[in-house]
Amino acid sequence: MYNKNAESMPQGQIRDIQLEGLKKTVQRVYSNSPYYKEKFDAVNIHPDDIKSLDDLQKLPFTEKSDLRDTYPYGMLSAPLSEITRLQASSGTTGKQTIDCYTKADIDAWAEIAARSLGCAEVDSESIVQVCYGYGLFTGGLGIHYGAERIGAMVMPMSSGNTERQLQMMADMGTTHIACTPSYASYLGEQISQNKELQKRIKLRNGILGAEPWSQELRENIESTLGITALDIYGLTEIMGPGVAMECSHKNGLHIWEDHFIVEIVDPDTLEAKADTQEGELVITTINKEGMPLIRYRTRDISKIYRTECACGRTHARIERVKARTDDMLIIKGVNVYPSRIESALLTIDGVKPHFEIIISRKGFLDDLEIKVELADDMKIDKISAIDAIEKQISRKLESAIGISSRIRLCEPGSITRFEGKSKRVTDLRKDN
């Protein structure tokens, strides 16, 4: 552990810290943020009403739309003169959202990032290659400062230039790689085609996040890269990468409860659900100064587990996020998550985990086409063979997602690879 006293503190101590932090945070936002004061007053809530952790349920939710509506500084709970850093979302859906950090916030972020990297066995002997984007996106800098706090050597490669990434990985003896799962899959694909490069790679663990990914993709990455692939979780709005992290036991991501309070709610009714029930993850920050958030709806589907992990860490764990409510597609009246398509494809021999979803409308009906890439060793020279594979994939996917689709097989390497978050859906219905 990077910080054993903090990571394995008794649950009673964690609850005491949470209550103190919640009271302080509610008072801070009520006193300093006109947005939150108006929101609290609308439901007749005052900071003095927060006397226990159960009182969190009285507070209103915060949504991404609130951050966009108050852009750029309407959510601040600290003077602009105290803000030392501004970061922004990657902007894959809609307008960017920002987060503003005080010096204390940056220090807290480095602390939780270091704890998270410790879960991946990063230590002072490690060489960490950071392939997340730097700049406004939190991915690169979050991992960077966490690794430096541990005392590891950091290679701030950022995203892109795969040939150079692989050369540096081999030459410098990289032990840990931090990137998106889709990019890790692509790197594994490239390495597997170069036997000499394979011999020189010394990777041990992958710190993978920024997008939902399946267990099947994890197994694919571990096989091609020869690593233990671990999930890291974070949101720009909450802090950045390091909010939660898997350890080698892979039984959920440790979420640092001395910095955050987590809940599970029904995404439709917003009613509280039991920890072990699946629902939408809601997070409250309890020690942020710049832009604290109360009951932030992450849109991520997860569960919470509170049993102690075999690694000795005592903080709650969240289930790996396999889907987001705002990633869900409604096709032919059925809820479809791209991650389920990925999982199904990875169980089929002869194809790669690279696909594109194209949704269009023919008359009043939805039409679903899925482009699937063949494996390198697939030699199909007969129409009957192509038809057989397409039917096999179609049956498998219909079983997985509940609706039929048209399958189009593509040549190896023809579907776009992504160095950041993958973009696999083209919805042409929006143009109609």
Side-chain angles (χ1 to χ4, degrees):
M1 296 183 196
Y2 166 72
N3 185 342
K4 187 173 183 178
N5 288 337
E7 294 174 51
S8 60
M9 70 174 71
Q11 276 288 313
Q13 186 179 349
I14 290 175
R15 298 290 168 261
D16 290 343
I17 290 172
Q18 287 186 324
L19 179 56
E20 180 183 355
L22 178 61
K23 289 180 177 179
K24 181 179 67 175
T25 298
V26 170
Q27 183 64 63
R28 169 179 278 272
V29 300
Y30 189 82
S31 301
N32 297 291
S33 168
Y35 162 81
Y36 271 120
K37 185 178 189 307
E38 181 180 348
K39 201 158 188 174
F40 286 7
D41 288 345
V43 293
N44 198 29
I45 290 291
H46 188 272
D48 292 341
D49 297 326
I50 306 302
K51 295 180 170 56
S52 72
L53 289 176
D54 291 338
D55 292 331
L56 178 67
Q57 304 291 321
K58 300 176 182 178
L59 298 172
F61 292 94
T62 307
E63 305 198 31
K64 181 171 284 192
S65 59
D66 296 320
L67 278 73
R68 289 172 175 159
D69 291 344
T70 57
Y71 177 90
Y73 298 129
M75 298 286 286
L76 280 184
S77 290
L80 200 57
S81 60
E82 294 181 10
I83 300 301
T84 60
R85 174 88 64 78
L86 183 148
Q87 305 268 181
S89 68
S90 56
T92 55
T93 56
K95 188 177 182 181
Q96 284 190 325
T97 54
I98 67 165
D99 195 0
C100 294
Y101 304 74
T102 65
K103 184 178 180 181
D105 292 337
I106 294 296
D107 186 64
W109 186 12
E111 164 67 22
I112 63 170
R115 293 185 198 177
S116 295
L117 295 182
C119 290
E121 301 178 358
V122 175
D123 58 26
S124 60
E125 302 297 320
S126 301
I127 300 173
V128 182
Q129 186 163 331
V130 182
C131 306
Y132 290 114
Y134 279 67
L136 286 174
F137 177 53
T138 57
L141 287 169
I143 300 295
H144 185 118
Y145 286 116
E148 282 192 341
R149 176 164 288 207
I150 289 175
M153 187 174 90
V154 185
M155 294 168 55
M157 295 292 295
S158 192
S159 58
N161 201 337
T162 298
E163 185 176 344
R164 186 171 180 233
Q165 296 272 12
L166 294 173
Q167 178 188 335
M168 294 291 283
M169 187 184 297
D171 292 348
M172 304 304 158
T174 301
T175 60
H176 293 72
I177 186 166
C179 62
T180 62
S182 52
Y183 191 51
S185 175
Y186 179 50
L187 290 174
E189 182 181 34
Q190 296 301 300
I191 291 172
S192 65
Q193 296 172 5
N194 188 327
K195 299 302 181 185
E196 288 303 313
L197 184 63
Q198 271 186 317
K199 296 175 184 177
R200 300 177 60 209
I201 296 296
K202 298 179 181 179
L203 283 178
R204 297 201 306 267
N205 289 328
I207 301 152
L208 312 181
E211 62 187 14
W213 52 306
S214 64
Q215 176 62 24
E216 290 79 7
L217 183 58
R218 189 212 294 267
E219 293 169 1
N220 173 271
I221 291 168
E222 291 186 333
S223 173
T224 57
L225 279 179
I227 63 173
T228 299
L230 300 173
D231 198 359
I232 190 167
Y233 178 77
L235 305 88
T236 297
E237 304 92 310
I238 294 297
M239 186 69 88
V243 172
M245 177 76 191
E246 274 186 315
C247 69
S248 59
H249 293 279
K250 299 179 184 176
N251 59 355
L253 289 77
H254 299 276
I255 185 160
W256 310 116
E257 293 187 282
D258 52 338
H259 291 259
F260 312 105
I261 299 176
V262 288
E263 307 170 75
I264 293 291
V265 302
D266 184 297
D268 297 318
T269 67
L270 300 184
E271 293 294 321
K273 302 190 77 169
D275 285 343
T276 55
Q277 291 183 317
E278 186 174 87
E280 182 179 341
L281 188 68
V282 173
I283 302 179
T284 298
T285 64
I286 56 172
N287 66 3
K288 279 185 73 177
E289 297 178 345
M291 278 181 59
L293 294 183
I294 304 295
R295 303 192 79 191
Y296 183 71
R297 294 186 61 189
T298 67
R299 305 290 180 177
D300 292 321
I301 302 301
S302 186
K303 300 176 184 177
I304 300 174
Y305 303 103
R306 297 196 182 276
T307 54
E308 185 174 328
C309 181
C311 71
R313 294 176 176 88
T314 53
H315 295 248
R317 287 166 286 118
I318 59 173
E319 186 177 64
R320 290 178 61 224
V321 174
K322 301 183 185 69
R324 292 175 51 84
T325 59
D326 49 6
D327 283 343
M328 185 184 74
L329 304 166
I330 301 177
I331 307 172
K332 302 178 183 179
V334 175
N335 297 341
V336 176
Y337 291 99
S339 57
R340 290 179 184 166
I341 295 175
E342 176 188 87
S343 296
L345 289 176
L346 282 162
T347 65
I348 300 173
D349 293 333
V351 299
K352 292 184 177 182
H354 303 296
F355 62 95
E356 291 182 16
I357 301 169
I358 302 170
I359 315 163
S360 58
R361 183 159 285 146
K362 294 185 177 180
F364 297 102
L365 301 175
D366 291 337
D367 181 74
L368 174 61
E369 179 182 61
I370 301 175
K371 296 166 63 176
V372 180
E373 190 172 298
L374 289 167
D376 294 325
D377 57 355
M378 287 296 291
K379 305 294 184 184
I380 299 178
D381 52 9
K382 293 183 180 180
I383 294 178
S384 59
I386 293 175
D387 185 60
I389 293 178
E390 287 178 346
K391 286 181 178 178
Q392 178 192 3
I393 296 171
S394 182
R395 287 194 299 269
K396 189 80 174 182
L397 291 184
E398 184 170 2
S399 175
I401 63 178
I403 58 174
S404 60
S405 59
R406 289 184 297 108
I407 305 301
R408 192 200 314 175
L409 295 178
C410 302
E411 292 294 324
S414 62
I415 291 180
T416 303
R417 279 24 172 196
F418 295 93
E419 293 160 349
K421 294 183 181 181
S422 58
K423 300 171 186 176
R424 290 171 167 161
V425 179
T426 300
D427 193 344
L428 301 177
R429 297 173 299 180
K430 299 173 183 178
D431 300 328
N432 294 335

